[in-house]
Amino acid sequence: MGMRSALLFVIALLFAAPAMAADLTVTIRSTSGQSVRDAVVTLQPTAAQAPAPIRFSWPYKVTQQNLQFDPFVLIVPQGSEVSFPNKDGVRHHVYSFSSAKPFELKLYGKDESRSVKFDKTGIVALGCNIHDGMVGFVIVVDTPYAMKSDASGSVTLRGAPAGPATLRIWHPYMKAGNNQIERRIVVPAGGMTEAVVVQLRPAPDHSRSY
Amino acid sequence: MAAPKHLGMAIGVLLVAFAPAKRAWSQVDLVSRETFTGLLDLRLSATTGERSFVDGDFGKLRFDGGGSTVKIRPSLADAAIAWRPRLSWAWSATVHAEMQDGVKPDLIQAYFTYKPTPKSATRFQARMGLLYPEISLEHEGALWKTSYTITPSAINSWVGEEVKPLAVEATVRRPIGDHEFSATAAVFDYNDTSGTLLTFRGWALHDLKAPTRHEWALPPLDNFIKGPQSRESYPVRHIDDRIGYYGRLEWAPPIGATFNLFYYNNLGDKTSKDWDKQWSWATEFWNGGVNWALNDKVRILGQVMSGRTLMGFKGPKTIWIDMDFASAYVLATRKIGETDQLTGRLEFFRTRDNSPQSGGYAFANRIAADRKEDGWAMTAAYKRTLTPNAALFFEALHVSSERKARVLTLTPQGQAQTMFQTSLRLSF
Ligand SMILES: [Cu+2]
């Protein structure tokens, strides 16, 4: 490595490394004033990031229980293996036709599990070919700053680098292109709180199926 | 008795024709515990008014009324079982039988379902066999049980008793933007007598389902029609060689509501009959439905049905039987807490006889032959889910109707009935 390229490397590192880590809190409400849970908030800093393996604190697992996917929305880093344990007394037939990961897990019974590797980023909608009412989502991301909102509609992304970034908020029933809104923000070194109002459409009614 | 044999043969042909050729054995599940669903319906009813149509009278309800007093009846109203084997990952079958109080034990439905894994947002499903077309918004599941009340509306009571064909049905579903669409088309047979019970008895409110090999009793028939027409009507019968069809469109805009439109026509030739005086009726109807979830707790359902049924030869003035029928209901249901649900329903029904002086009957008793009817009913129900396998229902129902043909039983044309029911449903 020449002197010149070594210098460039150091400069790049200086710019890339977070000068300051900030906490970014986002609260999401619907136009009718209700807290929106299960909204996925991701922050993509504009400056290049030092590559590091991304780990989230929650399990990479979608359980089938009471004829539902639990959790309804799961965020995982790109390249993760997600397990799909069945806790129901009946079999399920889990599938997705989403372009980020089309797959199909043929029938398996109680207390059995299968796993799927999600190698592309994107939204993967889950369904069950036996129970039309079963709906779930796996969100595959390549940023460590990602989290879904809790019952109070709030998310805190900790240790985000100060500086310009793209903030994205996605919800399966959001009335917006790709069910997502996007904002360019500058994260101040002291952290910030961002309030977002989104328009939701009613969840599709799967209560009846023959 | 040619009919059951024909039916068995038709089901057999379907089985051979459509059974999956390539078997993924790991996906086959013929007799595991989860292929069986069963249900017991323990009922206590208290009813006033007429004797039930089940016994060949004009009563509008499932159980006999005690006239001006209350008749109390405990019963095992229904013992039902469904077997749903999985034949491959895309093919399954449903065989559904019931022992209903008032009807002989019988097969209710028997059909195959083909449902391949969706490869895109367009989904496909096919069903073939003896089945209930998707008309009722009040029934659910393999056992086709009512969801909100014990007793379904007059519209869906009639579907339960006379709209059960042997059909080959295909459905395509697909979202377009935020809107979800579905289209169903089917051809069918074995529903040639559809309209018989509705014509001679009128509308009714009950949760009985059409037996497959057995019959419904009809109320007394007038002097003309009792010659050619049996007092028993077999709801699943192939009489003429015409194939009927039905179609359904559904639209779910992103407002929490689903709208559907259904059309049925059995294309009966009207004049073919079996040796046991079962006729090939020409019956057609439209049904429109709305299912609207106002929020997490409150849901509104409504259906409107309008149709016409014809049978027999042309007399001096009209064909023997030419009757219009129509009914509508609106149902509102509200969840209370985690386990309870309160439901109310209001409905109206009517029939109009376009052939009251039909055939050779013109010289006899005109009034007796007029099958004109007007009526309404009000139902309130409370459901409590006790465990995932047990539910308790309470229901109060009042039905009032004017029917000219009650002259045939020498009873007043106007009749009202009130019924209180408790139902304990145990499933396994
Ligand atoms: Cu399932």
Side-chain angles (χ1 to χ4, degrees), chain B residues 276-298:
Chain B
D276 57 350
K277 301 182 181 177
Q278 302 294 305
W279 289 76
S280 173
W281 294 60
T283 299
E284 64 167 327
F285 64 87
W286 286 94
N287 180 80
V290 183
N291 186 343
W292 200 318
L294 296 187
N295 53 49
D296 288 349
K297 290 196 167 66
V298 182

Side-chain angles (χ1 to χ4, degrees), chain A residues 2 4 10 13 42 44 46 52 59 74 82 85 88 92 94 105 117 132 139 149 160 169 200 206:
Chain A
R4 203 179 134 87
V10 169
L13 265 187
T42 54
Q44 201 87 52
T46 310
L74 174 72
V82 174
D88 276 330
H92 295 291
V94 181
L105 301 175
K117 186 170 181 174
D132 289 335
I139 289 75
S149 57
I169 297 153
L200 295 187
H206 293 286

